[in-house]
Amino acid sequence: MNWDDAAQAAPDRLLGAAADSDDQAVEAALRPKDLGEFVGQERVREQLDLVLKAARKRGGTADHVLLSGAPGLGKTTLSMIIAAEMGAPIRITSGPAIQHAGDLAAILSSLAEGEVLFLDEIHRMSRPAEEMLYMAMEDFRVDVIVGKGPGATAIPLELPPFTLVGATTRAGLLPPPLRDRFGFTGHMEFYAPAELERVIHRSAGLLDVAVDTAGAAEIAGRSRGTPRIANRLLRRVRDYAQVRADGVVTRQTAAKALEVYEVDARGLDRLDRAVLRALLTLFGGGPVGLSTLAVAVGEERETVEEVAEPFLVREGLLARTPRGRVATAAAWTHLGLVPPQHSGGAGPGTGPGQTGLFGP
Ligand SMILES: Nc1ncnc2c1ncn2[C@@H]1O[C@H](COP(=O)(O)OP(=O)(O)O)[C@@H](O)[C@H]1O
Ligand SMILES: [Mg+2]
């Protein structure tokens, strides 16, 4: 599965973890500015704190940092915090924006000493740029090729020491030589509900929205472990509270608002539930092939596989098996349905002796 494709498959999904244009406008205001304000990710935070403090003590630049994790968990935010903590300027670019090695050379050669270069989606950089980056990371040097064909010459160019912060949703896709050149890799995890509550209270303060404890908990439980989604749901709930209630976000207001947006108590949306419902009611809980399931919900195969399934799998509601998709006991409970009597996953009407009109 591919996060990038998933984002493209459902760009405006309320529960999508990729940033939409609405998010981008608000996110700058909601970003924690230093490590102390950054909620959760205890391990990454502590390790990074040591890396940065040691670098400051030495009076040098920090080691290169790789941040990996799903969209919306705080990779961009952490990169800005790294620069802020080092008192360094930050340059922001992304893998897809660097298609030619020359693009990268131009950026690298204009860095100031100690500057942080944030390379988002680093797994999507072109091969030649990647190779140039190896040398830049290791030796703070690039070879700029001047001219073409047999007359081309490589002119070595010294770079000031800088800190590369790479971010990727797919650390496994990075070539080992690139991965090895990072002094520190932080793996970002999904957030616990209590951590998301803290994110929500913090954002509510900044957005001047009144949220009580139970209201924040209600939103946190539906946010799929992702701060970006928590912040987005908070804004939708705020709208509801202002239009249909007294402006205060309570448990009841949050629940009612998210019902309007078809986000259920566990953070499933309409598509997620449609997939589960089809699996349970049409195929007795499976196993059923992906294509068959996709046709049953009237969606593309890729949409089901990349948009709906990852969260259902993570939540333990659906399993991908060699024989097909299978619903778990929790799936039946969540949709309030009763599993068929037969054991072994066979649905009603598929037992031996059944030779339907279109049977084998
Ligand atoms: N640990 C955190 N504490 C508070 N807010 C966070 C945290 N992580 C992410 N956020 C919020 O979530 C939003 C998305 O974070 P971002 O850094 O853009 O995620 P990513 O780059 O991993 O997709 C930001 O606006 C930020 O306010
Ligand atoms: Mg980002």
Side-chain angles (χ1 to χ4, degrees):
M1 113 108 211
N2 183 328
W3 291 106
D4 307 321
D5 295 348
Q8 276 149 24
D12 295 325
R13 202 170 171 237
L14 188 58
L15 291 175
D20 59 28
S21 49
D22 185 31
D23 292 327
Q24 280 162 9
V26 190
E27 272 180 6
L30 297 183
R31 281 212 161 92
K33 302 279 185 284
D34 58 42
L35 273 184
E37 266 187 84
F38 193 81
V39 175
Q41 307 290 345
E42 302 300 337
R43 182 162 304 149
V44 173
R45 233 181 29 192
E46 183 182 2
Q47 293 165 343
L48 201 53
D49 188 45
L50 288 171
V51 169
L52 300 180
K53 280 201 175 115
R56 279 204 303 263
K57 217 166 172 180
R58 289 192 303 266
T61 51
D63 250 346
H64 304 305
V65 174
L66 179 64
L67 300 171
S68 82
L73 297 188
K75 298 182 296 299
T76 300
T77 304
L78 263 190
S79 76
M80 294 176 172
I81 289 177
I82 290 171
E85 298 263 342
M86 292 304 292
I90 181 168
R91 185 85 55 95
I92 298 176
T93 185
S94 74
I98 299 176
Q99 278 323 309
H100 307 286
D103 301 338
L104 183 63
I107 294 170
L108 289 171
S109 60
S110 66
L111 291 177
E113 180 163 347
E115 189 157 357
V116 170
L117 174 62
F118 177 55
L119 239 171
D120 207 359
E121 299 184 76
I122 193 169
H123 60 278
R124 292 178 63 192
M125 207 170 28
S126 76
R127 205 56 221 256
E130 201 173 274
E131 269 157 26
M132 173 178 281
L133 194 59
Y134 294 164
M135 209 201 310
M137 290 172 78
E138 204 154 81
D139 303 327
F140 298 111
R141 192 166 65 85
V142 288
D143 280 338
V144 180
I145 310 292
V146 179
K148 277 199 160 74
T153 41
I155 300 178
L157 185 68
E158 295 286 327
L159 302 174
F162 65 95
T163 299
L164 178 71
V165 179
T168 181
T169 49
R170 319 185 72 199
L173 276 194
L174 284 193
L178 180 55
R179 231 181 316 165
D180 294 346
R181 281 170 169 80
F182 287 97
F184 168 71
T185 300
H187 297 284
M188 318 273 288
E189 309 281 349
F190 286 100
Y191 291 67
E195 294 170 335
L196 291 178
E197 282 179 47
R198 281 164 58 204
V199 171
I200 290 164
H201 281 299
R202 183 181 169 276
S203 300
L206 291 168
L207 295 172
D208 209 9
V209 184
V211 179
D212 71 15
T213 311
E218 190 63 40
I219 298 172
R222 299 178 189 225
S223 300
R224 298 173 170 242
T226 308
R228 173 174 290 133
I229 296 178
N231 283 339
R232 190 185 299 148
L233 294 186
L234 171 65
R235 302 202 302 277
R236 296 293 72 81
V237 170
R238 168 204 59 191
D239 295 349
Y240 182 97
Q242 288 172 352
V243 176
R244 302 239 177 119
D246 57 0
V248 180
V249 175
T250 60
R251 177 182 298 280
Q252 210 192 10
T253 325
K256 277 195 197 152
L258 294 174
E259 203 172 296
V260 171
Y261 289 104
E262 301 186 277
V263 175
D264 77 14
R266 233 173 139 156
L268 274 64
D269 68 5
R270 197 191 48 75
L271 174 67
D272 302 324
R273 282 194 306 276
V275 169
L276 267 197
R277 190 172 295 281
L279 179 58
L280 298 181
T281 60
L282 302 177
F283 306 107
V288 62
L290 172 62
S291 304
T292 310
L293 186 58
V295 169
V297 292
E299 292 287 349
E300 296 292 328
R301 200 185 135 95
E302 289 72 22
T303 307
V304 171
E305 185 174 29
E306 289 158 12
V307 180
E309 282 190 351
F311 181 65
L312 295 175
V313 170
R314 217 176 92 209
E315 282 288 288
L317 295 168
L318 178 146
R320 292 167 168 160
T321 75
R323 292 169 59 221
R325 272 51 177 175
V326 179
T328 63
W332 293 97
T333 313
H334 185 65
L335 288 195
L337 296 169
V338 181
Q341 292 302 312
H342 314 273
S343 56
T350 57
Q354 168 98 16
T355 47
L357 190 54
F358 301 103

